[in-house]
Amino acid sequence: MATSSSGFAARHTQYPPDPGVSGEARYYEFSQGVACSFPALPLDGFYVGVSTQEYGNADLCGAYLDVHGPRGDVRALIADRCPGCAPGQLDLSAAAFEQIAEQSDGVAQVGYTVVRDPDPAPELFYEVKPDSSAQWLAILVSGSGNPIQRVAIRPTTGGGWQELNRGRDNYWTISGAGPGPFSARVIDVYGHQVEVSGISLEPGQRFTGIQLYSVASVAAPPTASAPIAAAPAPSIRAVQTSGRASGCRP
């Protein structure tokens, strides 16, 4: 199976992407840190790193890929960027690769698709960066399930929404937002949106008790030759060690 020359890079802002994109998956081992800045990912989880072109400005962080290989199928969280990968090439964590091919193969020809509204819908949580202040705020939004398109905030007391800018590290930032507390509006690429209230400048991770979408809105699952092994939602309740792939650098 030939590797796609474009992968889904050229169309990652158009959802859902064309089904059945052909590509190549490579086995890799995690070490410390991932480009999407997700906290404390366990080393035995199902994760995927995509090429710089596909990664964009952290556009796909938090989404999932269904990867179909010669041995089976796996659902993997997009958590990393692989500068050494061409569009259509994937770096799969050790546990994920072993679901779709033999570890000794090292490389496998695959098909893959971006999952819409993965089931179960994860719980949205966020992390305020420690150096945030009234002059500059940075916030990481996780547990979205789908790619996030926009994040905006306003004072909890009211006022207009202010759009945040997404960095390549997947943090959303804004200057001069004020002392807070804030409400945040999170919108994914499919138009699902929620509001999270009570966000302060106090650093740390906070669970919201909110899901970005309803499972009732889940589209028909992709056809697979075998049951898909699903990656855990990117939640620090189940995820407590961080890692990244060897050869994948921010």
Side-chain angles (χ1 to χ4, degrees):
M1 185 183 304
T3 301
S4 167
S5 61
S6 61
F8 51 82
R11 50 185 183 270
H12 69 259
T13 56
Q14 302 174 19
Y15 294 90
D18 295 343
V21 175
S22 298
E24 180 182 87
R26 307 189 301 189
Y27 176 98
Y28 69 81
E29 296 282 354
F30 270 69
S31 54
Q32 293 299 313
V34 290
C36 293
S37 299
F38 294 139
L41 296 179
L43 301 185
D44 60 352
F46 299 156
Y47 314 114
V48 57
V50 298
S51 69
T52 297
Q53 185 176 342
E54 291 167 314
Y55 183 85
N57 201 45
D59 301 329
L60 291 173
C61 287
Y64 289 84
L65 290 187
D66 277 348
V67 183
H68 313 286
R71 182 181 177 184
D73 307 312
V74 69
R75 178 164 292 175
L77 172 69
I78 300 175
D80 212 351
R81 179 176 71 93
C82 177
C85 293
Q89 290 181 324
L90 308 173
D91 268 0
L92 284 179
S93 63
F97 189 89
E98 290 167 4
Q99 296 290 323
I100 61 100
E102 297 292 338
Q103 176 181 344
S104 58
D105 294 340
V107 177
Q109 300 302 310
V110 297
Y112 60 95
T113 56
V114 177
V115 182
R116 175 170 179 166
D117 297 350
D119 182 10
E123 180 182 359
L124 202 69
F125 68 98
Y126 65 91
E127 178 178 0
V128 176
K129 213 166 190 178
D131 53 350
S132 294
S133 67
Q135 288 71 46
W136 182 80
L137 170 65
I139 185 169
L140 177 73
V141 180
S142 304
S144 59
N146 294 320
I148 297 174
Q149 186 174 70
R150 297 168 59 193
V151 175
I153 64 169
R154 67 179 179 184
T156 300
T157 54
W161 292 101
Q162 302 179 74
E163 296 281 342
L164 278 65
N165 298 308
R166 192 182 213 169
R168 183 167 279 194
D169 62 356
N170 199 29
Y171 272 89
W172 296 82
T173 65
I174 188 171
S175 297
F182 306 100
S183 294
R185 176 178 289 168
V186 180
I187 305 174
D188 72 12
V189 296
Y190 304 113
H192 304 129
Q193 62 178 286
V194 294
E195 291 186 19
V196 181
S197 60
I199 298 174
S200 72
L201 295 176
E202 181 181 355
Q205 297 160 345
R206 304 286 186 275
F207 283 90
T208 66
I210 297 172
Q211 296 169 324
L212 186 55
Y213 56 88
S214 169
V215 173
S217 69
V218 173
T223 301
S225 57
I228 293 175
S235 164
I236 58 173
R237 290 180 178 173
V239 175
Q240 290 301 329
T241 59
S242 66
R244 65 167 294 102
S246 60
C248 286
R249 300 178 299 278

